[in-house]
Amino acid sequence: QVQLVESGGDSVQAGGSLRLSCAASGATYNNNCMGWFRQAPGKEREVVASIYTGYRSTYYADSVKGRFTISQDSAKNTMYLQMNSLKPEDTAVYYCAADFRQSRYRCSGGYFSAQDFGYWGQGTQVAVSS
């Protein structure tokens, strides 16, 4: 079993920055797909970014490209999401997720959906005011 715990959510003004963390414990492996998703009220959960650990190959949704950076610290079993130039439309609950079955091609190419991920954190709230 894998446990994922997010932290770092907060309320900020537009243009501000936040860094989310996702600490993983349990049965983690070198090569797996980890991702950040978000869900705003009344909307479906959407992918924000993903990283194929081991190779550090990354994928970003168009809406966050150039503003958000996904990274990992293997020694700490922790994944991060640095969010800069935040906009009100970034307001959502952010979730981290992990899956051990996806290939590097699918993970770093964004060829997946939320349903493909088997392990989820509890979520952390990000609120961006204008």
Side-chain angles (χ1 to χ4, degrees):
Q1 282 287 352
V2 175
Q3 294 80 43
L4 304 173
V5 179
E6 305 98 331
S7 62
D10 205 344
S11 299
V12 296
Q13 290 193 328
S17 298
L18 283 174
R19 188 176 82 155
L20 306 183
S21 299
C22 173
S25 60
T28 56
Y29 303 92
N30 281 335
N31 295 324
N32 61 71
C33 187
M34 296 191 71
W36 286 100
F37 292 77
R38 66 186 181 187
Q39 188 166 18
K43 295 189 176 181
E44 293 200 357
R45 193 168 297 190
E46 62 177 4
V47 62
V48 175
S50 64
I51 185 166
Y52 191 75
T53 64
Y55 290 85
R56 300 179 185 249
S57 304
T58 59
Y59 166 82
Y60 295 94
D62 288 342
S63 58
V64 305
K65 203 171 291 184
R67 300 188 297 123
F68 291 10
T69 303
I70 189 171
S71 63
Q72 62 172 103
D73 184 332
S74 299
K76 297 181 179 180
N77 267 350
T78 300
M79 176 177 66
Y80 303 98
L81 185 68
Q82 178 66 43
M83 305 187 294
N84 298 328
S85 303
L86 282 161
K87 304 175 181 179
E89 51 264 44
D90 294 318
T91 295
V93 177
Y94 284 69
Y95 299 89
C96 72
D99 188 79
F100 305 130
R101 301 163 297 176
Q102 293 197 46
S103 67
R104 177 187 177 190
Y105 170 76
R106 286 188 64 195
C107 184
S108 56
Y111 304 116
F112 56 79
S113 65
Q115 288 73 20
D116 294 321
F117 283 74
Y119 299 96
W120 291 87
Q122 82 288 351
T124 186
Q125 176 73 52
V126 172
V128 185
S129 58
S130 57

